[in-house]
């Protein structure tokens, strides 16, 4: 036999993710896929659609909307779900603020990031979702590095990192009682570079924010933040124009950008391959709260 | 773009494991400046005199507070040649559960030893677990070579000691690399400090090691995961678990047994492909409209897995909240099937340090490994784990808590005794023309067993008595072709040969067996089986001293074993346990093979 039966590492990662999507679709009643328009969720949705070809995606997508969105991202979100013919469920943080379930932070550094947890859990409960796909990757952050692909959440939506189910081979244990649910992370083993190589190879469209563009920004805590209608400048903070791109896209008030000239997927791949700073370290003010910032939020039910 | 290599590491700071991984990550630029700065800051605050790289992945608060690694940590790095996923686990015995988890998907295991201390209990345990989980490539890194003066002799001692131990395991590819993780010697680049070392650096080995053919490419297996339905479309989606599927293949769907032909195979997204192999996720279409659903398995007509409800398996118990005991009920998840199961029996508990089997054990608790028999409610479609890591593995889930409580590796279907009823025949032994027995010749390679056996068979047949020679080497071409030379395989080799001899003897034939059969316990089991069946068993010890055998060496095997080309060779680096009470003992001074055969026949005629 002369043929070599080898898969490239991207096809291997894709196969693993496809297996996970099919496993969930076959064994859960009401799965949902978290879709923010960020690159990881775009890749996740792309792989999911491929997993069920030629049938349509057998579950809806959910956007937890902080109300502080980049306009380009919302436009991209709507266009993408239309193109794929998937059902979009939007859960609004504003609704929880209006109903008094959460209280909005005040001051110049106010962010709705943490409030999303309440909105997300409310949506899960209202719709009875029992499996929630998230685009989190283990290379992103050290609390995520220890999380399972199938991550159990109790009836309060909480994660118990000390009591996780062992996960062996490709046998995933999704058993749960009514009211509990499983967060599922099909891209667990992908790195930022894998995501970009896949975007390049598959020619996946992203919101334009991910590529170098000129926009007004200001500096805060050593990071560049976009100057949008949602932020209040503190004393001494001055907006200026810069050529930037976003490495992650989340709530507009706490997602930083980096100076960059990378305007195509190829250029971004090259930039990432040579960068020496992690994507969250460079761009996420929310992760800088404390060393255990992510772990604490995840325990409460965060993404 | 390169392939993916999944590797498992285990151990603690003492072995220098963190330093080694940190160096691999940093030198391959997978460790970022902000991560390194954070680690340096925390290490300094704690008064540690070097950056403690465990802080990088000890991501949980409890881990940082207690300064221990609790869980499997995944680390990622890539070189231009390959992408690597490291499943890193703590090394202490109380983390056997985590090691088993980390090793379950690994292609390669990295075991570290400190050159000053040599092979210790922990290194043996890690190697054993790697072998149990079916990892085919093992790299022993002899670390801290700088502290033993870069000694070639010290490295050779450790290598030989480890090799002797590893012979009892099923690890086909064993590599040894002398390194200094602290100074970087032989980690990424080859060092000039050990000019006597002719191998490559560790990273180079990891980049080059060939794992693509480790998966089973022979037995075509597709567990159906999900049925994709569209307009005029019905496809069976799943991840290929073994073999190669092609359009046009005649296939059978189990357990129903319906046959059909593969009409098309689609990759994710629909692209048609000419062939599908593990671990591709595909959608297969069949020419006929069959009732196929999740949990079914598509395979080739002439190559099917076992189908049954009784499974013999090794399991590792994963929870501290309960124990595994006979009679306990669980949900078993196996490929895409999920069904209830009851533990029929615990055969033994294995000591992971000494490999001793405790047959008096009747339960397994956290981190313990043992052999059990399981009865499932629905049939499972399975292969042995050694043959296929996907169709041979399962987990047990406790229905009360929904927790995963055990990891299982299937040995095979449960064999006879328990649930197979012996059929009485109409012909008894006294009805046959002749009475059979077994003559079992044991001894070293080149001891002269076969020459004597051939002569015994010839003279019996010449005298009109039915006799048949069962030669160990010949049986390995057929009946025992699937067995290697590990202790377990040798035991199975002896067992099968013993069973065949017993059948021949029962049929009235003199079975003349010529088999090294080095272990006393294995031979004694064959003797016991004959006794139980009321058949005579004559053990003949061909007691030729090893020097004489080695001087003969007709196949050049001793020379190769001495040169280290083959390992596990009886008498050289694997023990031969002489019989304590053989019926006949033959020594070189007894004369030529014909004379020796005469002595054996004289004993039979007694």
């Amino acid at each position: 036999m002369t043929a070599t039966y080898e898969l490239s590492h991207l096809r291997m990662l894709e196969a693993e993710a496809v297996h996970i999507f099919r496993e969930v679709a076959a064994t859960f009643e009401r799965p949902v896929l978290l879709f923010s328009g960020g690159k990881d969720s775009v890749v996740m949705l792309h792989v999911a659609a491929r997993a069920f070809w030629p049938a349509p995606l057998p579950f809806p997508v959910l956007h937890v909307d902080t109300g502080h969105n980049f306009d380009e991202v919302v436009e991209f979100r709507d266009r993408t779900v239309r193109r794929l013919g998937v059902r979009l469920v939007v859960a609004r943080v504003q609704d929880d603020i209006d109903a008094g379930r959460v209280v909005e932070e005040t001051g110049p550094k106010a962010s709705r990031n943490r409030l999303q947890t309440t909105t997300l859990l409310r949506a899960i409960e209202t719709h009875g979702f029992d499996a929630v796909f998230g685009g989190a990757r283990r290379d992103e952050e050290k609390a995520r590095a220890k999380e399972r692909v199938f991550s159990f959440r109790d009836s309060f939506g909480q994660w118990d990192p000390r009591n996780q189910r062992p996960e062996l081979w490709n046998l995933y244990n999704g058993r749960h009682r009514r009211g509990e649910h499983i967060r599922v992370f099909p891209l667990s083993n992908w790195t930022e570079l894998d995501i970009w190589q896949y975007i390049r190879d598959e020619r996946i469209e992203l919101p334009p924010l991910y590529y170098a563009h000129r926009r007004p920004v200001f500096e805060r805590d050593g990071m560049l933040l976009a100057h949008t209608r949602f932020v209040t400048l503190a004393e001494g903070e001055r907006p200026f124009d810069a050529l930037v791109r976003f490495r992650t896209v989340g709530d507009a008030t706490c997602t930083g950008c980096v100076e960059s000239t990378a305007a195509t997927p190829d250029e971004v791949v090259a930039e990432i391959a040579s960068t020496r700073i992690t994507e969250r370290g460079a761009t996420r003010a929310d992760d800088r709260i404390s060393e255990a910032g992510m772990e604490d939020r995840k325990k409460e039910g965060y993404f | 773009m390169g392939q993916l290599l999944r590797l498992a590491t285990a151990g603690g700071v003492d072995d220098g494991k963190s330093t080694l991984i940190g160096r691999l990550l940093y030198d391959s630029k997978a460790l970022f400046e902000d991560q390194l700065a954070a680690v340096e800051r925390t290490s300094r605050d704690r008064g540690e005199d070097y950056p403690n790289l465990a802080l990088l992945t000890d991501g949980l608060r409890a881990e940082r507070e207690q300064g221990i690694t609790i869980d499997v940590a995944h680390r990622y790095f890539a070189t231009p040649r390959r992408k690597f996923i490291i499943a890193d686990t703590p090394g202490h015995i109380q983390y056997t559960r985590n090691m088993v988890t980390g090793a379950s998907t690994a292609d390669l295991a990295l075991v570290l030893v400190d050159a000053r201390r040599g092979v210790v209990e922990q290194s043996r345990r890690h190697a054993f677990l790697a072998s149990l989980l079916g990892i085919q490539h093992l790299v022993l890194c002899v670390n801290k070579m700088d502290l033993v003066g870069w000694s070639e002799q010290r490295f050779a001692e450790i290598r030989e000691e480890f090799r002797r131990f590893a012979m009892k395991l099923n690890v086909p590819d064993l590599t040894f690399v002398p390194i200094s993780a602290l100074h970087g010697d032989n980690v990424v680049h080859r060092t000039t400090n050990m000019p006597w070392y002719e191998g490559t650096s560790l990273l180079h080995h990891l980049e080059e090691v060939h794992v693509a053919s480790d998966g089973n490419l022979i037995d075509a297996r597709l567990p159906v995961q999900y049925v994709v339905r569209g307009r005029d479309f019905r496809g069976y989606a799943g991840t290929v678990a073994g073999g190669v599927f092609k359009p046009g293949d005649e296939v059978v769907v189990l357990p129903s047994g319906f046959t059909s032909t593969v009409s098309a195979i689609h990759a994710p997204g629909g692209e048609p492909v000419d062939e599908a192999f593990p671990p591709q996720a595909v959608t297969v279409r069949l020419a006929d409209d069959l009732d196929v659903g999740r949990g079914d398995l598509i395979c080739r007509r002439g190559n099917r897995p076992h189908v049954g409800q009784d499974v013999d398996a090794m399991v590792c118990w994963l929870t501290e909240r309960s124990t595994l005991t006979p009679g306990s009920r669980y949900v078993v998840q196996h490929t895409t099937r999920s069904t209830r199961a009851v533990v029929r029996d615990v055969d033994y508990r294995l000591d992971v340090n000494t490999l001793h089997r405790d047959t008096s054990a009747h339960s397994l608790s956290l981190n313990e490994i043992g052999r059990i028999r399981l009865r499932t409610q629905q049939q499972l479609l399975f292969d042995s784990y050694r043959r296929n890591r996907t169709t041979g593995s399962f987990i047990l889930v406790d229905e009360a808590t929904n927790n995963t409580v055990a990891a299982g590796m299937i040995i095979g279907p449960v064999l006879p005794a328990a649930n197979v009823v012996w059929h009485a025949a109409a012909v008894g032994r006294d009805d046959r023309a002749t009475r059979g027995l077994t003559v079992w010749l044991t001894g070293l390679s080149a001891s002269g067993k076969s020459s004597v056996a051939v002569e015994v068979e010839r003279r019996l047949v010449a005298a009109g008595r039915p006799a048949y020679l069962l030669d160990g080497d010949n049986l390995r071409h057929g009946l025992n072709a699937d067995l290697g030379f590990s202790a377990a395989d040798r035991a199975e080799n002896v067992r099968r040969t013993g069973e065949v001899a017993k059948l021949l003897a029962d049929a009235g034939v003199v079975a003349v067996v010529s088999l090294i059969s080095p272990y006393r316990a294995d031979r004694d089991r064959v003797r016991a089986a004959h006794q139980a069946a009321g058949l005579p068993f004559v053990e003949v010890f061909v007691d030729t001293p090893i020097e004489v055998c080695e001087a003969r060496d007709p196949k050049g095997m001793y020379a190769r074993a001495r040169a280290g080309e083959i390992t596990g060779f009886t008498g050289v680096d694997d023990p031969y346990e002489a019989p304590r009470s053989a019926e006949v003992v033959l020594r070189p001074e007894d004369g030529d093979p014909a004379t020796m055969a005469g002595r054996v026949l004289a004993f039979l005629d007694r």
Side-chain angles (χ1 to χ4, degrees):
Chain A
M1 204 182 334
T2 51
T4 56
Y5 295 104
E6 289 185 69
L7 283 183
S8 75
H9 84 268
L10 284 183
R11 291 300 154 203
M12 204 102 123
L13 292 172
E14 184 192 53
E16 182 179 83
V18 166
H19 180 86
I20 292 161
F21 281 119
R22 290 170 173 172
E23 204 59 18
V24 170
T27 57
F28 286 80
E29 284 173 26
R30 287 168 185 268
V32 70
L33 184 146
L34 291 171
F35 183 67
S36 63
K39 68 180 189 317
D40 298 321
S41 72
V42 173
V43 166
M44 181 165 68
L45 182 58
H46 180 89
V47 177
R50 285 164 67 78
F52 300 102
W53 176 94
L57 203 65
F59 40 77
V61 301
L62 170 67
H63 182 212
V64 176
D65 181 357
T66 62
H68 292 169
N69 300 299
F70 291 100
D71 297 337
E72 307 92 306
V73 178
V74 173
E75 188 271 327
F76 172 84
R77 176 197 77 187
D78 292 342
R79 194 151 40 83
T80 305
V81 298
R82 259 200 317 276
R83 178 170 55 81
L84 292 172
V86 295
R87 186 161 71 87
L88 171 69
V89 178
V90 179
R92 293 188 173 78
V93 173
Q94 189 64 48
D95 293 347
D96 290 289
I97 294 171
D98 295 347
R101 284 184 287 262
V102 292
V103 177
E104 182 145 33
E105 293 176 12
T106 53
K109 293 189 181 179
S111 163
R112 290 181 167 184
N113 189 57
R114 200 161 183 145
L115 307 185
Q116 293 179 93
T117 301
T118 302
T119 310
L120 171 63
L121 295 178
R122 179 172 56 80
I124 290 170
E125 196 181 331
T126 308
H127 295 271
F129 295 131
D130 53 359
V132 182
F133 292 107
R137 311 185 318 262
R138 285 175 179 151
D139 82 319
E140 274 181 89
E141 207 282 332
K142 52 194 171 184
R144 286 185 166 167
K146 303 250 164 165
E147 189 161 11
R148 304 291 184 258
V149 171
F150 271 40
S151 188
F152 175 77
R153 294 291 186 279
D154 65 19
S155 53
F156 299 96
Q158 298 193 333
W159 180 52
D160 180 359
R162 297 215 60 177
N163 193 20
Q164 300 192 78
R165 296 174 179 172
E167 200 157 75
L168 299 108
W169 298 290
N170 62 358
L171 296 170
Y172 300 102
N173 175 2
R175 296 176 69 89
H176 60 280
R177 295 190 185 87
R178 190 161 294 280
E180 300 167 340
H181 72 276
I182 306 283
R183 298 283 173 92
V184 182
F185 303 106
L187 308 183
S188 285
N189 287 323
W190 298 48
T191 62
E192 185 186 13
L193 187 58
D194 297 327
I195 293 283
W196 275 103
Q197 287 172 337
Y198 189 78
I199 288 167
R200 179 191 61 191
D201 292 2
E202 289 283 313
R203 300 169 186 277
I204 298 172
E205 188 196 344
L206 290 184
L209 270 63
Y210 280 104
Y211 301 103
H213 60 288
R214 197 163 280 283
R215 73 156 59 229
V217 298
F218 66 99
E219 196 174 329
R220 178 179 286 175
D221 297 339
M223 281 192 316
L224 292 182
L225 295 178
H227 186 217
T228 63
R229 61 184 181 277
F230 308 116
V231 293
T232 316
L233 292 182
E235 214 177 289
E237 290 175 343
R238 300 186 158 282
F240 59 95
D241 270 15
L243 188 61
V244 296
R245 68 174 204 87
F246 289 81
R247 282 176 78 181
T248 67
V249 170
D251 187 286
T253 60
C254 64
T255 307
C257 49
V258 292
E259 290 192 87
S260 168
T261 55
T264 65
D266 269 319
E267 288 167 9
V268 174
V269 166
E271 182 185 282
I272 289 170
S274 63
T275 186
R276 306 297 293 143
I277 308 275
T278 60
E279 77 183 24
R280 285 194 166 262
T283 64
R284 293 303 275 260
D286 47 331
D287 289 349
R288 293 190 174 180
I289 300 164
S290 78
E291 181 147 41
M294 177 64 89
E295 182 180 348
D296 292 343
R297 278 177 294 150
K298 284 186 81 69
K299 283 181 184 167
E300 292 166 9
Y302 188 71
F303 301 117
Chain B
M1 201 176 302
Q3 271 75 44
L4 188 63
L5 184 81
R6 294 176 199 256
L7 57 147
T9 59
V13 178
D14 293 350
D15 313 318
K17 185 196 62 170
S18 289
T19 315
L20 174 64
I21 292 175
R23 189 159 276 286
L24 282 172
L25 296 182
Y26 193 75
D27 288 0
S28 64
K29 299 194 166 75
L31 186 56
F32 295 94
E33 281 167 11
D34 53 324
Q35 290 175 311
L36 191 64
V39 166
E40 281 172 346
R41 198 169 50 238
T42 309
S43 297
R44 213 168 32 241
D45 292 349
R46 290 180 173 191
E48 292 167 337
D49 51 9
Y50 59 93
N52 183 355
L53 293 160
L55 293 168
L56 269 181
T57 47
D58 286 351
L60 305 177
R61 186 192 293 276
E63 292 180 315
R64 279 194 305 278
E65 283 170 2
Q66 297 169 35
I68 51 162
T69 308
I70 296 169
D71 216 321
V72 182
H74 295 91
R75 296 172 161 103
Y76 303 83
F77 73 102
T79 68
R81 293 222 183 115
R82 213 171 217 176
K83 173 181 161 103
F84 300 91
I85 300 179
I86 305 181
D88 184 29
T89 53
H92 288 123
I93 191 154
Q94 63 263 39
Y95 298 113
T96 298
R97 157 175 71 175
N98 306 72
M99 277 182 268
V100 166
T101 303
S104 70
T105 52
D107 305 303
L108 180 145
L110 212 61
V111 176
L112 257 90
V113 302
D114 182 329
R116 295 168 302 177
R117 290 186 296 164
V119 179
V120 295
E121 191 173 272
Q122 180 165 291
S123 12
R124 283 192 289 268
R125 184 171 67 245
H126 295 169
F128 165 69
L129 291 174
S131 143
L132 180 73
L133 270 293
I135 298 179
Q136 306 202 14
H137 308 271
L138 200 150
V139 180
L140 187 81
C141 289
V142 182
N143 191 21
K144 306 192 186 180
M145 287 299 291
D146 50 316
L147 300 182
V148 295
W150 312 108
S151 164
E152 178 178 10
Q153 194 198 333
R154 182 66 189 133
F155 175 69
E157 284 166 12
I158 292 171
R159 186 182 55 203
E160 288 324 302
E161 188 188 350
F162 190 79
R163 200 174 256 164
R164 268 198 301 282
F165 169 75
M167 266 160 0
K168 295 179 199 156
L169 311 174
N170 282 306
V171 180
D173 174 27
L174 191 56
T175 305
F176 299 85
V177 187
I179 63 167
S180 167
L182 192 61
H183 301 292
D185 299 76
N186 282 343
V187 176
V188 172
H189 304 289
R190 275 203 58 183
T191 180
T192 50
N193 282 322
M194 292 174 275
W196 46 266
Y197 172 68
E198 291 175 351
T200 65
S201 73
L202 173 64
L203 183 63
H204 187 77
H205 179 70
L206 297 179
E207 286 182 326
E208 296 292 320
V209 64
H210 181 71
V211 297
S213 51
D214 290 357
N216 181 321
L217 293 169
I218 298 164
D219 312 314
R221 304 280 186 266
L222 180 75
V224 176
Q225 200 184 2
Y226 186 83
V227 180
V228 183
R229 291 184 190 86
R231 196 177 300 153
D232 301 326
F233 186 96
R234 190 176 165 87
Y236 306 107
T239 302
V240 181
V244 180
F245 287 90
K246 297 187 172 96
D249 281 352
E250 292 194 349
V251 292
V252 59
V253 180
L254 296 178
S256 69
F258 291 126
T259 57
S260 186
T261 307
V262 174
S263 58
I265 304 175
H266 300 276
E271 188 197 341
V273 292
D274 295 336
E275 50 190 12
F277 53 90
Q280 281 182 314
V282 294
T283 302
V284 165
R285 296 164 75 184
L286 300 180
D288 303 277
D289 208 5
L290 303 178
D291 179 19
V292 181
R294 178 176 165 89
D296 290 350
L297 182 134
I298 301 175
C299 61
R300 301 297 297 268
R301 290 163 71 168
N303 180 340
R304 306 176 182 211
H306 298 286
V307 180
Q309 293 170 271
D310 291 281
V311 173
D312 179 10
M314 298 297 295
V315 294
C316 177
W317 194 250
L318 306 171
T319 180
E320 67 278 13
R321 295 193 216 160
S322 61
T323 56
L324 176 144
T325 50
S328 325
R329 287 166 190 277
Y330 304 100
V331 168
V332 58
Q333 273 185 241
H334 171 261
T335 65
T336 54
R337 249 170 198 238
S338 180
T339 179
R340 287 202 172 78
V342 58
V343 176
R344 274 287 166 89
D345 211 352
V346 175
D347 285 342
Y348 57 80
R349 181 195 299 146
L350 195 68
D351 183 317
V352 291
N353 292 321
T354 62
L355 306 190
H356 174 74
R357 298 169 177 188
D358 180 1
T359 50
S360 67
H362 296 294
S363 67
L364 298 176
S365 30
L366 177 64
N367 292 317
E368 290 184 339
I369 290 173
R371 185 166 175 172
I372 65 162
R373 274 175 281 164
L374 205 62
R375 166 89 178 170
T376 60
Q377 191 178 41
Q378 284 175 26
Q379 291 178 324
L380 298 185
L381 315 164
F382 62 94
D383 295 288
S384 72
Y385 186 77
R386 272 191 48 200
R387 197 155 176 93
N388 190 314
R389 283 170 86 177
T390 306
T391 54
S393 55
F394 63 84
I395 57 171
L396 297 181
V397 176
D398 183 337
E399 272 192 293
T401 62
N402 283 336
N403 275 328
T404 304
V405 292
M409 289 140 285
I410 297 174
I411 294 168
V414 171
L415 290 169
N419 55 356
V420 180
V421 180
W422 189 268
H423 258 277
V427 179
R429 225 166 259 157
D430 292 333
D431 303 325
R432 299 185 193 276
T434 56
R435 302 298 291 272
L437 63 104
T438 293
V439 179
W440 189 282
L441 292 101
T442 169
L444 293 168
S445 179
S447 60
K449 299 180 298 297
S450 293
S451 308
V452 176
V454 164
E455 185 63 12
V456 168
E457 182 195 28
R458 190 187 66 77
R459 283 163 65 174
L460 283 169
V461 172
R465 198 155 172 202
Y468 191 80
L469 172 64
L470 293 169
D471 183 274
D473 286 346
N474 297 352
L475 292 177
R476 280 188 180 273
H477 288 282
L479 178 67
N480 296 334
D482 58 327
L483 299 177
F485 292 89
S486 66
D489 279 3
R490 282 176 188 269
E492 176 63 10
N493 187 31
V494 170
R495 188 192 71 79
R496 285 188 202 169
T497 308
E499 287 296 321
V500 174
K502 211 178 84 187
L503 289 173
L504 288 172
D506 190 39
V509 178
V510 180
V512 185
V513 178
S514 169
L515 196 66
I516 296 175
S517 43
Y519 307 134
R520 196 178 296 126
D522 295 339
R523 294 189 305 263
D524 288 350
R525 268 193 287 274
V526 178
R527 178 188 290 272
H530 278 73
Q531 277 167 356
L535 292 164
F537 181 82
V538 178
E539 190 172 14
V540 179
F541 177 29
V542 185
D543 185 12
T544 309
I546 184 147
E547 306 80 57
V548 178
C549 298
E550 210 166 339
R552 292 176 184 163
D553 202 10
K555 299 172 198 161
M557 299 298 270
Y558 283 95
R560 290 182 59 201
R562 293 288 179 203
E565 286 173 35
I566 44 179
T567 57
F569 194 79
T570 301
V572 176
D573 54 7
D574 202 58
Y576 177 81
E577 298 167 1
R580 293 209 175 105
S581 50
E583 278 76 7
V584 181
V585 179
L586 303 173
R587 298 205 172 81
E589 54 269 32
D590 291 328
D592 61 7
T595 317
M596 290 185 182
R599 286 200 48 206
V600 175
L601 293 167
F603 182 87
L604 301 187
D605 289 339
R606 197 179 40 121

